[in-house]
Amino acid sequence: MLPEAEDIVRQAIAVAATGPHPTLPRSWGRVNRNTRERGRVGWAHHRNAELSVLLCDDEAIAGLNGRWRGREEPTNVLSFPAPLLQGAAPDDTVPLGDIAIAYETVVREAEESGKMVSDHLSHLVVHGFLHLLGYDHHMDDEAERMERLERDILARIGVADPYAACDADI
């Protein structure tokens, strides 16, 4: 495992959580219907927001993937948003949720795509964090919005566009 993995995770989350971000709507609560109903997106700017990140192996993430998504296979990242807290005061700790990342998969995918492991880890942390906020990529317009945010956040920490090779193939 990268000795600096914890620092990479912390930096990616810190940058993703800080704003204002140039591509974010003025009110983050207007991202999409699900986000607006849940009201979770603005929590990234809550003074005492917290989340947990698990770096695990393929076996562990396959178990989580099977239990929560019905797919008994490894995946690179899973996000588990915390239940919405009603009426949280500004000084309350607001849980955003949990992110699980399969380190073996991160390494394999980075090697297969010619990326640095640290860059791919940063990308998956940002991707998982945006899922905690309610962003999704099931519809084309949502995917474009989420990918644009990922690109912008990663650029702020010096990580190249993770979708550039995909875009070149189109």
Side-chain angles (χ1 to χ4, degrees):
M1 181 150 331
L2 284 174
E4 66 274 12
E6 181 178 348
D7 294 335
I8 292 167
V9 169
R10 287 181 184 277
Q11 179 187 33
I13 289 171
V15 172
T18 57
H21 193 279
T23 63
L24 292 175
R26 199 169 271 235
S27 168
W28 274 30
R30 291 193 303 255
V31 175
N32 65 40
R33 188 175 57 83
N34 293 334
T35 302
R36 187 171 47 247
E37 290 170 1
R38 290 178 19 217
R40 181 179 307 281
V41 170
W43 288 10
H45 296 291
H46 196 282
R47 186 168 57 212
N48 295 318
E50 68 180 13
L51 63 107
S52 66
V53 178
L54 169 68
L55 294 177
C56 59
D57 61 17
D58 282 353
E59 182 180 350
I61 206 144
L64 291 170
N65 203 20
R67 179 174 181 190
W68 297 104
R69 297 179 65 218
R71 298 179 183 173
E72 199 64 47
E73 61 189 15
T75 187
N76 52 18
V77 62
L78 292 171
S79 297
F80 302 95
L84 182 63
L85 282 181
Q86 299 296 324
D91 290 331
D92 290 347
T93 298
V94 177
L96 292 177
D98 305 315
I99 300 170
I101 297 175
Y103 193 77
E104 292 170 312
T105 299
V106 171
V107 171
R108 185 176 57 256
E109 289 176 348
E111 289 173 354
E112 290 170 356
S113 61
K115 298 176 183 174
M116 291 179 27
V117 173
S118 58
D119 288 355
H120 192 45
L121 177 58
S122 294
H123 176 212
L124 293 176
V125 170
V126 169
H127 184 90
F129 182 77
L130 291 175
H131 275 307
L132 292 183
L133 299 182
Y135 288 92
D136 217 333
H137 47 77
H138 293 295
M139 306 291 288
D140 286 346
D141 62 329
E142 292 176 351
E144 289 174 17
R145 180 180 294 119
M146 189 169 174
E147 288 175 13
R148 185 172 50 252
L149 283 170
E150 290 172 15
R151 287 176 167 121
D152 291 347
I153 292 166
L154 291 168
R156 291 170 54 201
I157 56 176
V159 174
D161 180 352
Y163 299 104
C166 298
D167 294 345
D169 295 337
I170 297 175

